[in-house]
Amino acid sequence: MTPRDPVPAATSRRTVTLTIDGRSVTVDEGTTIWQAAKQLDIEIPALCHDERYEPVGVCRMCVVDTGARSYPASCVRPCEPDMTVATSTPSVEQCRKVLTELLLADQPPRESDPKQTTTADNELLTIADSQGITGVDDLFAGPSRGTDTSNPVIAVDHDACILCDRCVRACDDLQGNDVIGRTGKGYATRIAFDLDDPMGSSSCVTCGECVAACPTGALTNKPINNVPIQPRERLDAVDTVCPYCGVGCALTYYVDRERGAISFAEGRDQPGNQGRLCVKGRYGWDYAASPQRLTAPLIRRESAYPKGPLSSDTKADAAEANREGRPNRKPGGLVDDDEVLPHFREASWDEALDLVAGKLRQIFAESGPDGIAGFGSAKCSNEEAYLFQKLIRTAFHTNNVDHCTRLCHASSVAALFEGVGSGAVSTTYGDIANADVAIITGSNATANHPVASSFFKQARRNGTTIIYIDPRSGTIADHADIFVQLKPGTDVALYNGIMHEIIRLGLVDEQFITDRTANYEELAATVEAYPPELAAQITGVDADTIRRIARIWGEAGSGVIYWGMGISQHVTGTDNARCLIALCCVTGNVGRPGTGLHPLRGQNNVQGASDAGLIPMFYPNYRSVSRDEAREAFERAWGTGLPEKNGLTVTEVVQSILDGGVRGMYMLGENPFLSDPNINKVRKALASLDFLVVQDIFLTETAEFADVILPASSYLEKDGTYTNTDRRVQRGRTVFDPPGHARVDWRIVQDIARRLGLDWTYESPREVFDEMVGLMPDYANLTYDNLASTGKLYPNEDPEHSDGTVVLFDDRFNTSDGLAHLKPAEWLPAAELPTEEYPFVLNTGRLLEHWHTGSMTRRSYALDTIAPRAEAYVHPDDVAELGLVDGGLARVTSRRGEITLHVKASHREARGNIFIPFHFREAAANLLTIDEIDPTGKIPEFKFCAVRIAPVAERAGEQAGRSERSAL
């Protein structure tokens, strides 16, 4: 690859001067007439043009008079020196009027127009109104081109389509999905999905960008849960952030106050998502209105002791149903309230909170700090994370407080803190636009971080070389220049092999190594033992590909690495991340635009919850609990003594419960019964707790083991801040009040704190945020007011005038000596390897439409409709060889348990590998996973365990018949 030419320090700006409607204007060379007119506040009507896309000039509504023989489209016509332009002469206006009439002739009547009768913003009708056109009586519509209602939330009306191609460019240019095109000839031409498939059965990912782009009623949103879509001016607009992945998209909910429901959602312009959304953000908000919301405190009845699971779904004998080939869980994958709720009684808040405080205080008095643990949530706000960890540390003098970062990027944080002194990303996902080369590894970003992936796809189209590395051929592989399908668990060997070749070729940045790193010699000595040939034997990646990647990376002027949980969720996860840090540092790819290290955060506030100290070894701002200086600073701030030793992580707490250590737990917004590995072990631990309080919005599997359940608030029902994967701190705003007697989470935490003797008097999340900022130098200068509508990146010296720091470590790292500490790693095999009995490797992960343990997304109409069932993804050759049937049932078994689910033949899997999403309780992937953990990051091994798969015996005849029919 040839690196991009460096941008000159100073470039000569070439301009042109022209006259538009008698007014002179000077613009940069290449500026279009439409853009120049806009600078003069002259509005030229357009239907096909949108500044977010490349102009195409197909609608001709924006024609202007330049004195030429024909009128050019101003959106594509560049300005020329001394050009004279008239934008609204009688002749030009007549051209536009005729065009409008021709387009209107084929449109549905205004009173039934799909857009005008909902959001009332049909741009063609707006232009017609401005031209005084009330109807077209002398023109007749052609034959209908039909409708398509196959997508659950998007309707297609081909008669309303004016073939402006805005939907095509939105799909291609912005989202990079390449689904929409044109089909047919002449009058029969229409937009098409894939090979003219129905939208609902095409490869469309239902991001809704086409709907946002469409100027007419050709593409519109369908009402969700019978809440009508109305004009914006009739609805209450609430600006907030998406509650799902770490991208943290800014969006606006349009709220029907009369019905107490959201009518629709739109993306909001913010530097991170730039108005884009995915299917979850645009259509996945209705879970908060589920009738299954918890609305009153619940206390376990005496008859429900001794404690254990309360539904047949969560009992240990579920495996027996699997062995017999019969369904053991209801379709839909939700806890059966009718089966569980009779084991609880409603209580007042005072009774429930008094019981919680009394029981936890009693356990603390009997067992001391080691008897208590808290499990917080990355779905909660920064303020709630801060208060929760403060409560556990100050009320019970223990650091046994953790959250779900332990299950996603704990190993990444450990390696980054060790290597560069900070657990945060060193650049943004949007900075890929400045990179010559980007490595995306261990991340199916199109499913896990879909809006971020749209920036990756755009960068590739603009010249960035994309190298995608993963055991699965995720959809991001379709957009990569090089796809490397390595064997699971061999990442260290691959990256050591790449570094070996970079060093051999002399492509290291010697000055950077000398000035800004430590321990390079030990690293070089380690990777010397990994020539490409050896790395190829271990990884299954041919040596020439390893050499090619090494040369591309080493010769690039700028390179950035993005990684996901395919790197972190291993017993060698910290070593994997250490290799990525070293790969960037030895080539000097840190501290400049288009360079750096970015672990893509899984949940919407993993970054913020970690920053706020919801980690057993760190106070807020990653200040070590074992360092006297840090501990003394927080003792002064909080007015109490604090423990000196690290606390237990989530995975260690489970073992501690079984060993008789932890006896009482406060669980806020998490569901470890499904999210933790080896569910049978988790089941036993939860049943063994003396006291468990669960604070959540739904009755989860974990809540079945609770002594007290506290009804909490969804993110739609509270104010607070959230920090996304880019380090962008944004405000979430209240959309609704909590249902029934449910309360916002931070108030519940404060109520418990007061009952435990803590003098907390916070009146709002703003007060909590101000206290946090005073203790967190990275957040210095941030306030609720200067976060405004788009949020701010941290660190930020001047939030009033700056968006914040994009690239960190431009001159020094956050380590004590300012150097990057390179830590070499040796490749180690996985903790559990395939055998003759268990010959397949299981990998678990997410689907685009679902989220975490499914408690939110499986209560969303759109998301559950699109992806309603659990499936095991298996290579078609393995499907055939094992006698499986695509769509049929199979049993997957490990040494820890077994599940029954449907088979999905998938060329994206390598032979010998199986992928199972972990969202589906009726086929809980974590019944199978191993509970071995990374010794440094304490993260579980979710990405590798040995399993076998076989057809369900009772369905064998039925599957064989289906196979015969499919062969006909």
Side-chain angles (χ1 to χ4, degrees), residues 424-432 434-435 516 558-560 562 588-598 726-727 793-795 803-814:
V425 300
S426 74
T427 192
T428 65
Y429 58 80
D431 194 31
I432 192 173
N434 298 311
R516 303 200 54 194
S558 56
V560 61
Y562 300 93
N589 279 310
V590 185
R592 296 177 288 112
T595 71
L597 301 151
H598 191 127
D726 277 349
R727 294 176 272 108
L793 297 174
Y794 76 78
D803 190 49
T805 305
V806 173
V807 179
L808 300 181
F809 315 134
D810 54 346
D811 57 357
R812 73 183 310 275
F813 293 97
N814 279 5

mmCIF file of all heavy atoms in Angstrom, residues 424-432 434-435 516 558-560 562 588-598 726-727 793-795 803-814:
data_model
loop_
_atom_site.group_PDB
_atom_site.id
_atom_site.type_symbol
_atom_site.label_atom_id
_atom_site.label_comp_id
_atom_site.label_asym_id
_atom_site.label_seq_id
_atom_site.Cartn_x
_atom_site.Cartn_y
_atom_site.Cartn_z
ATOM 1 N N ALA A 424 -9.140 4.330 29.132
ATOM 2 C CA ALA A 424 -10.010 4.896 28.112
ATOM 3 C C ALA A 424 -9.388 4.761 26.729
ATOM 4 O O ALA A 424 -8.186 4.536 26.580
ATOM 5 C CB ALA A 424 -10.293 6.368 28.420
ATOM 6 N N VAL A 425 -10.220 4.922 25.712
ATOM 7 C CA VAL A 425 -9.739 4.852 24.338
ATOM 8 C C VAL A 425 -8.839 6.052 24.049
ATOM 9 O O VAL A 425 -9.031 7.129 24.602
ATOM 10 C CB VAL A 425 -10.908 4.823 23.346
ATOM 11 C CG1 VAL A 425 -11.794 3.617 23.613
ATOM 12 C CG2 VAL A 425 -11.746 6.107 23.399
ATOM 13 N N SER A 426 -7.870 5.871 23.153
ATOM 14 C CA SER A 426 -6.945 6.973 22.864
ATOM 15 C C SER A 426 -7.386 7.807 21.676
ATOM 16 O O SER A 426 -6.799 8.852 21.412
ATOM 17 C CB SER A 426 -5.530 6.433 22.619
ATOM 18 O OG SER A 426 -5.439 5.796 21.360
ATOM 19 N N THR A 427 -8.409 7.357 20.954
ATOM 20 C CA THR A 427 -8.973 8.154 19.861
ATOM 21 C C THR A 427 -10.401 7.709 19.623
ATOM 22 O O THR A 427 -10.855 6.712 20.203
ATOM 23 C CB THR A 427 -8.131 8.022 18.577
ATOM 24 O OG1 THR A 427 -8.544 9.021 17.640
ATOM 25 C CG2 THR A 427 -8.287 6.646 17.935
ATOM 26 N N THR A 428 -11.116 8.417 18.787
ATOM 27 C CA THR A 428 -12.524 8.126 18.549
ATOM 28 C C THR A 428 -12.695 7.170 17.377
ATOM 29 O O THR A 428 -11.786 6.976 16.576
ATOM 30 C CB THR A 428 -13.287 9.422 18.235
ATOM 31 O OG1 THR A 428 -12.803 9.965 16.995
ATOM 32 C CG2 THR A 428 -13.092 10.448 19.345
ATOM 33 N N TYR A 429 -13.887 6.595 17.261
ATOM 34 C CA TYR A 429 -14.123 5.721 16.106
ATOM 35 C C TYR A 429 -14.194 6.528 14.819
ATOM 36 O O TYR A 429 -13.839 6.039 13.750
ATOM 37 C CB TYR A 429 -15.375 4.858 16.288
ATOM 38 C CG TYR A 429 -16.665 5.596 16.529
ATOM 39 C CD1 TYR A 429 -17.380 6.168 15.484
ATOM 40 C CD2 TYR A 429 -17.201 5.690 17.811
ATOM 41 C CE1 TYR A 429 -18.570 6.836 15.710
ATOM 42 C CE2 TYR A 429 -18.393 6.342 18.043
ATOM 43 C CZ TYR A 429 -19.071 6.920 16.994
ATOM 44 O OH TYR A 429 -20.250 7.580 17.216
ATOM 45 N N GLY A 430 -14.611 7.784 14.900
ATOM 46 C CA GLY A 430 -14.655 8.625 13.711
ATOM 47 C C GLY A 430 -13.287 9.011 13.192
ATOM 48 O O GLY A 430 -13.139 9.391 12.021
ATOM 49 N N ASP A 431 -12.255 8.883 14.039
ATOM 50 C CA ASP A 431 -10.896 9.239 13.622
ATOM 51 C C ASP A 431 -10.352 8.277 12.582
ATOM 52 O O ASP A 431 -9.298 8.520 11.993
ATOM 53 C CB ASP A 431 -9.973 9.272 14.854
ATOM 54 C CG ASP A 431 -8.632 9.951 14.581
ATOM 55 O OD1 ASP A 431 -8.596 10.862 13.738
ATOM 56 O OD2 ASP A 431 -7.635 9.545 15.209
ATOM 57 N N ILE A 432 -11.068 7.206 12.307
ATOM 58 C CA ILE A 432 -10.642 6.288 11.247
ATOM 59 C C ILE A 432 -10.556 7.013 9.913
ATOM 60 O O ILE A 432 -9.802 6.606 9.018
ATOM 61 C CB ILE A 432 -11.587 5.077 11.138
ATOM 62 C CG1 ILE A 432 -10.982 3.985 10.251
ATOM 63 C CG2 ILE A 432 -12.953 5.503 10.658
ATOM 64 C CD1 ILE A 432 -11.786 2.691 10.229
ATOM 65 N N ASN A 434 -9.036 9.562 9.275
ATOM 66 C CA ASN A 434 -7.685 10.107 9.112
ATOM 67 C C ASN A 434 -6.617 9.021 9.027
ATOM 68 O O ASN A 434 -5.426 9.332 8.957
ATOM 69 C CB ASN A 434 -7.362 11.039 10.283
ATOM 70 C CG ASN A 434 -8.290 12.228 10.344
ATOM 71 O OD1 ASN A 434 -8.499 12.904 9.343
ATOM 72 N ND2 ASN A 434 -8.873 12.486 11.512
ATOM 73 N N ALA A 435 -7.037 7.763 9.037
ATOM 74 C CA ALA A 435 -6.078 6.656 9.059
ATOM 75 C C ALA A 435 -5.789 6.152 7.652
ATOM 76 O O ALA A 435 -6.684 6.063 6.808
ATOM 77 C CB ALA A 435 -6.620 5.516 9.916
ATOM 78 N N ARG A 516 9.593 7.084 23.659
ATOM 79 C CA ARG A 516 8.284 7.008 24.290
ATOM 80 C C ARG A 516 7.883 5.622 24.773
ATOM 81 O O ARG A 516 6.746 5.418 25.201
ATOM 82 C CB ARG A 516 7.201 7.549 23.329
ATOM 83 C CG ARG A 516 7.475 8.992 22.870
ATOM 84 C CD ARG A 516 6.223 9.662 22.362
ATOM 85 N NE ARG A 516 5.158 9.599 23.336
ATOM 86 C CZ ARG A 516 3.886 9.873 23.050
ATOM 87 N NH1 ARG A 516 3.544 10.205 21.825
ATOM 88 N NH2 ARG A 516 2.963 9.798 23.986
ATOM 89 N N SER A 558 -0.268 6.311 9.030
ATOM 90 C CA SER A 558 -1.081 6.355 10.248
ATOM 91 C C SER A 558 -1.928 5.099 10.308
ATOM 92 O O SER A 558 -2.487 4.658 9.307
ATOM 93 C CB SER A 558 -1.984 7.599 10.273
ATOM 94 O OG SER A 558 -2.791 7.646 9.118
ATOM 95 N N GLY A 559 -1.997 4.514 11.486
ATOM 96 C CA GLY A 559 -2.768 3.285 11.667
ATOM 97 C C GLY A 559 -3.472 3.269 13.007
ATOM 98 O O GLY A 559 -2.932 3.735 14.015
ATOM 99 N N VAL A 560 -4.689 2.728 13.024
ATOM 100 C CA VAL A 560 -5.485 2.677 14.241
ATOM 101 C C VAL A 560 -6.043 1.268 14.392
ATOM 102 O O VAL A 560 -6.296 0.585 13.395
ATOM 103 C CB VAL A 560 -6.624 3.729 14.197
ATOM 104 C CG1 VAL A 560 -7.566 3.470 13.032
ATOM 105 C CG2 VAL A 560 -7.392 3.800 15.510
ATOM 106 N N TYR A 562 -9.082 -1.009 16.244
ATOM 107 C CA TYR A 562 -10.346 -1.111 16.970
ATOM 108 C C TYR A 562 -10.566 -2.580 17.309
ATOM 109 O O TYR A 562 -10.379 -3.452 16.458
ATOM 110 C CB TYR A 562 -11.509 -0.610 16.106
ATOM 111 C CG TYR A 562 -11.364 0.835 15.697
ATOM 112 C CD1 TYR A 562 -10.758 1.179 14.494
ATOM 113 C CD2 TYR A 562 -11.819 1.858 16.514
ATOM 114 C CE1 TYR A 562 -10.613 2.506 14.112
ATOM 115 C CE2 TYR A 562 -11.675 3.194 16.152
ATOM 116 C CZ TYR A 562 -11.070 3.506 14.940
ATOM 117 O OH TYR A 562 -10.921 4.822 14.568
ATOM 118 N N GLY A 588 4.864 3.514 16.104
ATOM 119 C CA GLY A 588 4.595 4.931 16.372
ATOM 120 C C GLY A 588 3.167 5.350 16.093
ATOM 121 O O GLY A 588 2.906 6.540 15.870
ATOM 122 N N ASN A 589 2.261 4.411 16.133
ATOM 123 C CA ASN A 589 0.869 4.719 15.791
ATOM 124 C C ASN A 589 0.021 5.022 17.007
ATOM 125 O O ASN A 589 -1.021 4.397 17.251
ATOM 126 C CB ASN A 589 0.275 3.563 14.978
ATOM 127 C CG ASN A 589 0.663 3.619 13.519
ATOM 128 O OD1 ASN A 589 0.524 4.650 12.874
ATOM 129 N ND2 ASN A 589 1.186 2.515 12.997
ATOM 130 N N VAL A 590 0.453 5.983 17.783
ATOM 131 C CA VAL A 590 -0.309 6.489 18.918
ATOM 132 C C VAL A 590 -0.017 7.987 19.014
ATOM 133 O O VAL A 590 1.106 8.420 18.785
ATOM 134 C CB VAL A 590 0.087 5.812 20.257
ATOM 135 C CG1 VAL A 590 -0.828 6.283 21.384
ATOM 136 C CG2 VAL A 590 0.052 4.303 20.152
ATOM 137 N N GLY A 591 -1.048 8.758 19.347
ATOM 138 C CA GLY A 591 -0.825 10.161 19.645
ATOM 139 C C GLY A 591 -0.941 11.109 18.472
ATOM 140 O O GLY A 591 -0.694 12.311 18.624
ATOM 141 N N ARG A 592 -1.338 10.621 17.310
ATOM 142 C CA ARG A 592 -1.537 11.473 16.141
ATOM 143 C C ARG A 592 -2.902 11.185 15.538
ATOM 144 O O ARG A 592 -3.459 10.111 15.753
ATOM 145 C CB ARG A 592 -0.458 11.196 15.083
ATOM 146 C CG ARG A 592 0.952 11.528 15.508
ATOM 147 C CD ARG A 592 1.969 11.158 14.422
ATOM 148 N NE ARG A 592 2.149 9.715 14.286
ATOM 149 C CZ ARG A 592 1.767 9.007 13.238
ATOM 150 N NH1 ARG A 592 1.148 9.591 12.220
ATOM 151 N NH2 ARG A 592 1.986 7.695 13.183
ATOM 152 N N PRO A 593 -3.469 12.125 14.760
ATOM 153 C CA PRO A 593 -4.734 11.831 14.087
ATOM 154 C C PRO A 593 -4.628 10.565 13.240
ATOM 155 O O PRO A 593 -3.634 10.323 12.568
ATOM 156 C CB PRO A 593 -4.970 13.067 13.219
ATOM 157 C CG PRO A 593 -4.258 14.164 13.942
ATOM 158 C CD PRO A 593 -3.039 13.518 14.539
ATOM 159 N N GLY A 594 -5.673 9.739 13.304
ATOM 160 C CA GLY A 594 -5.685 8.504 12.534
ATOM 161 C C GLY A 594 -4.859 7.395 13.133
ATOM 162 O O GLY A 594 -4.578 6.397 12.464
ATOM 163 N N THR A 595 -4.456 7.529 14.387
ATOM 164 C CA THR A 595 -3.693 6.482 15.069
ATOM 165 C C THR A 595 -4.320 6.221 16.436
ATOM 166 O O THR A 595 -5.069 7.040 16.953
ATOM 167 C CB THR A 595 -2.220 6.880 15.284
ATOM 168 O OG1 THR A 595 -2.141 7.918 16.282
ATOM 169 C CG2 THR A 595 -1.578 7.384 13.995
ATOM 170 N N GLY A 596 -3.979 5.074 17.014
ATOM 171 C CA GLY A 596 -4.383 4.859 18.392
ATOM 172 C C GLY A 596 -5.031 3.524 18.656
ATOM 173 O O GLY A 596 -5.050 2.618 17.813
ATOM 174 N N LEU A 597 -5.584 3.404 19.863
ATOM 175 C CA LEU A 597 -6.118 2.167 20.429
ATOM 176 C C LEU A 597 -7.544 2.404 20.882
ATOM 177 O O LEU A 597 -7.813 3.325 21.669
ATOM 178 C CB LEU A 597 -5.265 1.739 21.626
ATOM 179 C CG LEU A 597 -3.781 1.484 21.326
ATOM 180 C CD1 LEU A 597 -2.932 1.771 22.544
ATOM 181 C CD2 LEU A 597 -3.590 0.045 20.862
ATOM 182 N N HIS A 598 -8.470 1.583 20.384
ATOM 183 C CA HIS A 598 -9.873 1.818 20.713
ATOM 184 C C HIS A 598 -10.603 0.495 20.951
ATOM 185 O O HIS A 598 -11.064 -0.147 20.005
ATOM 186 C CB HIS A 598 -10.562 2.588 19.578
ATOM 187 C CG HIS A 598 -11.925 3.095 19.953
ATOM 188 N ND1 HIS A 598 -12.297 4.416 19.811
ATOM 189 C CD2 HIS A 598 -13.005 2.472 20.474
ATOM 190 C CE1 HIS A 598 -13.546 4.572 20.206
ATOM 191 N NE2 HIS A 598 -13.993 3.381 20.622
ATOM 192 N N ASP A 726 -16.255 6.760 22.921
ATOM 193 C CA ASP A 726 -15.319 7.802 22.490
ATOM 194 C C ASP A 726 -14.849 8.705 23.627
ATOM 195 O O ASP A 726 -14.117 9.661 23.385
ATOM 196 C CB ASP A 726 -15.984 8.699 21.432
ATOM 197 C CG ASP A 726 -15.913 8.136 20.036
ATOM 198 O OD1 ASP A 726 -15.175 7.163 19.824
ATOM 199 O OD2 ASP A 726 -16.601 8.674 19.147
ATOM 200 N N ARG A 727 -15.337 8.461 24.838
ATOM 201 C CA ARG A 727 -15.128 9.371 25.960
ATOM 202 C C ARG A 727 -16.042 10.597 25.875
ATOM 203 O O ARG A 727 -15.753 11.638 26.463
ATOM 204 C CB ARG A 727 -13.669 9.859 26.067
ATOM 205 C CG ARG A 727 -12.649 8.823 26.389
ATOM 206 C CD ARG A 727 -11.225 9.392 26.372
ATOM 207 N NE ARG A 727 -10.631 9.346 25.053
ATOM 208 C CZ ARG A 727 -10.429 10.395 24.287
ATOM 209 N NH1 ARG A 727 -10.752 11.608 24.703
ATOM 210 N NH2 ARG A 727 -9.871 10.258 23.084
ATOM 211 N N LEU A 793 -16.303 15.574 24.715
ATOM 212 C CA LEU A 793 -15.255 14.598 24.950
ATOM 213 C C LEU A 793 -14.420 15.027 26.148
ATOM 214 O O LEU A 793 -14.204 16.224 26.377
ATOM 215 C CB LEU A 793 -14.337 14.488 23.726
ATOM 216 C CG LEU A 793 -14.955 14.000 22.412
ATOM 217 C CD1 LEU A 793 -13.921 14.092 21.298
ATOM 218 C CD2 LEU A 793 -15.463 12.580 22.538
ATOM 219 N N TYR A 794 -13.959 14.062 26.918
ATOM 220 C CA TYR A 794 -12.978 14.391 27.953
ATOM 221 C C TYR A 794 -11.624 13.813 27.545
ATOM 222 O O TYR A 794 -11.577 12.850 26.773
ATOM 223 C CB TYR A 794 -13.418 13.869 29.333
ATOM 224 C CG TYR A 794 -13.249 12.369 29.574
ATOM 225 C CD1 TYR A 794 -11.993 11.811 29.868
ATOM 226 C CD2 TYR A 794 -14.340 11.509 29.540
ATOM 227 C CE1 TYR A 794 -11.831 10.446 30.099
ATOM 228 C CE2 TYR A 794 -14.199 10.147 29.774
ATOM 229 C CZ TYR A 794 -12.934 9.623 30.044
ATOM 230 O OH TYR A 794 -12.773 8.277 30.275
ATOM 231 N N PRO A 795 -10.519 14.377 28.006
ATOM 232 C CA PRO A 795 -10.386 15.620 28.770
ATOM 233 C C PRO A 795 -10.714 16.832 27.910
ATOM 234 O O PRO A 795 -10.595 16.788 26.695
ATOM 235 C CB PRO A 795 -8.913 15.607 29.194
ATOM 236 C CG PRO A 795 -8.220 14.787 28.155
ATOM 237 C CD PRO A 795 -9.209 13.741 27.733
ATOM 238 N N ASP A 803 -15.049 20.931 21.621
ATOM 239 C CA ASP A 803 -15.722 19.641 21.751
ATOM 240 C C ASP A 803 -14.918 18.686 22.619
ATOM 241 O O ASP A 803 -15.472 17.702 23.109
ATOM 242 C CB ASP A 803 -15.942 19.029 20.358
ATOM 243 C CG ASP A 803 -16.841 17.809 20.398
ATOM 244 O OD1 ASP A 803 -17.923 17.886 21.011
ATOM 245 O OD2 ASP A 803 -16.459 16.771 19.829
ATOM 246 N N GLY A 804 -13.632 18.961 22.817
ATOM 247 C CA GLY A 804 -12.800 18.116 23.659
ATOM 248 C C GLY A 804 -11.673 17.469 22.889
ATOM 249 O O GLY A 804 -11.483 17.707 21.688
ATOM 250 N N THR A 805 -10.902 16.646 23.573
ATOM 251 C CA THR A 805 -9.706 16.036 23.008
ATOM 252 C C THR A 805 -10.054 14.757 22.265
ATOM 253 O O THR A 805 -10.573 13.813 22.855
ATOM 254 C CB THR A 805 -8.688 15.724 24.126
ATOM 255 O OG1 THR A 805 -8.419 16.926 24.857
ATOM 256 C CG2 THR A 805 -7.399 15.178 23.539
ATOM 257 N N VAL A 806 -9.743 14.733 20.981
ATOM 258 C CA VAL A 806 -9.989 13.534 20.183
ATOM 259 C C VAL A 806 -8.865 12.527 20.390
ATOM 260 O O VAL A 806 -9.095 11.369 20.717
ATOM 261 C CB VAL A 806 -10.130 13.885 18.686
ATOM 262 C CG1 VAL A 806 -10.218 12.619 17.834
ATOM 263 C CG2 VAL A 806 -11.358 14.763 18.464
ATOM 264 N N VAL A 807 -7.618 12.975 20.215
ATOM 265 C CA VAL A 807 -6.462 12.075 20.268
ATOM 266 C C VAL A 807 -5.685 12.312 21.558
ATOM 267 O O VAL A 807 -5.244 13.428 21.835
ATOM 268 C CB VAL A 807 -5.541 12.292 19.045
ATOM 269 C CG1 VAL A 807 -4.338 11.377 19.124
ATOM 270 C CG2 VAL A 807 -6.320 12.048 17.751
ATOM 271 N N LEU A 808 -5.510 11.252 22.338
ATOM 272 C CA LEU A 808 -4.721 11.338 23.569
ATOM 273 C C LEU A 808 -3.265 10.957 23.311
ATOM 274 O O LEU A 808 -2.932 10.383 22.275
ATOM 275 C CB LEU A 808 -5.306 10.403 24.629
ATOM 276 C CG LEU A 808 -6.743 10.638 25.080
ATOM 277 C CD1 LEU A 808 -7.120 9.626 26.150
ATOM 278 C CD2 LEU A 808 -6.936 12.054 25.586
ATOM 279 N N PHE A 809 -2.425 11.253 24.276
ATOM 280 C CA PHE A 809 -1.032 10.801 24.318
ATOM 281 C C PHE A 809 -0.197 11.385 23.175
ATOM 282 O O PHE A 809 0.649 10.709 22.590
ATOM 283 C CB PHE A 809 -0.938 9.262 24.302
ATOM 284 C CG PHE A 809 -1.887 8.567 25.212
ATOM 285 C CD1 PHE A 809 -2.630 7.479 24.784
ATOM 286 C CD2 PHE A 809 -2.060 8.999 26.523
ATOM 287 C CE1 PHE A 809 -3.512 6.824 25.618
ATOM 288 C CE2 PHE A 809 -2.942 8.360 27.380
ATOM 289 C CZ PHE A 809 -3.674 7.272 26.927
ATOM 290 N N ASP A 810 -0.413 12.650 22.859
ATOM 291 C CA ASP A 810 0.359 13.245 21.777
ATOM 292 C C ASP A 810 1.822 13.476 22.161
ATOM 293 O O ASP A 810 2.701 13.455 21.295
ATOM 294 C CB ASP A 810 -0.262 14.558 21.317
ATOM 295 C CG ASP A 810 -0.467 15.544 22.456
ATOM 296 O OD1 ASP A 810 -0.379 15.133 23.636
ATOM 297 O OD2 ASP A 810 -0.732 16.728 22.174
ATOM 298 N N ASP A 811 2.089 13.652 23.465
ATOM 299 C CA ASP A 811 3.491 13.845 23.855
ATOM 300 C C ASP A 811 3.927 12.945 25.002
ATOM 301 O O ASP A 811 5.118 12.711 25.181
ATOM 302 C CB ASP A 811 3.763 15.310 24.211
ATOM 303 C CG ASP A 811 2.866 15.825 25.327
ATOM 304 O OD1 ASP A 811 1.990 15.057 25.795
ATOM 305 O OD2 ASP A 811 3.026 16.985 25.717
ATOM 306 N N ARG A 812 2.999 12.420 25.772
ATOM 307 C CA ARG A 812 3.359 11.504 26.847
ATOM 308 C C ARG A 812 2.152 10.627 27.183
ATOM 309 O O ARG A 812 1.013 10.979 26.891
ATOM 310 C CB ARG A 812 3.849 12.248 28.100
ATOM 311 C CG ARG A 812 2.768 12.956 28.891
ATOM 312 C CD ARG A 812 3.323 13.746 30.079
ATOM 313 N NE ARG A 812 4.213 12.980 30.901
ATOM 314 C CZ ARG A 812 3.832 12.166 31.902
ATOM 315 N NH1 ARG A 812 2.542 11.986 32.148
ATOM 316 N NH2 ARG A 812 4.721 11.540 32.635
ATOM 317 N N PHE A 813 2.446 9.467 27.782
ATOM 318 C CA PHE A 813 1.386 8.577 28.233
ATOM 319 C C PHE A 813 1.055 8.874 29.683
ATOM 320 O O PHE A 813 1.772 9.633 30.359
ATOM 321 C CB PHE A 813 1.817 7.123 28.038
ATOM 322 C CG PHE A 813 1.951 6.732 26.592
ATOM 323 C CD1 PHE A 813 3.193 6.756 25.961
ATOM 324 C CD2 PHE A 813 0.837 6.362 25.857
ATOM 325 C CE1 PHE A 813 3.316 6.415 24.627
ATOM 326 C CE2 PHE A 813 0.949 6.022 24.524
ATOM 327 C CZ PHE A 813 2.198 6.043 23.902
ATOM 328 N N ASN A 814 -0.002 8.282 30.202
ATOM 329 C CA ASN A 814 -0.460 8.579 31.558
ATOM 330 C C ASN A 814 0.247 7.748 32.625
ATOM 331 O O ASN A 814 -0.164 7.746 33.777
ATOM 332 C CB ASN A 814 -1.972 8.353 31.673
ATOM 333 C CG ASN A 814 -2.761 9.531 31.131
ATOM 334 O OD1 ASN A 814 -2.199 10.469 30.583
ATOM 335 N ND2 ASN A 814 -4.069 9.478 31.260
#
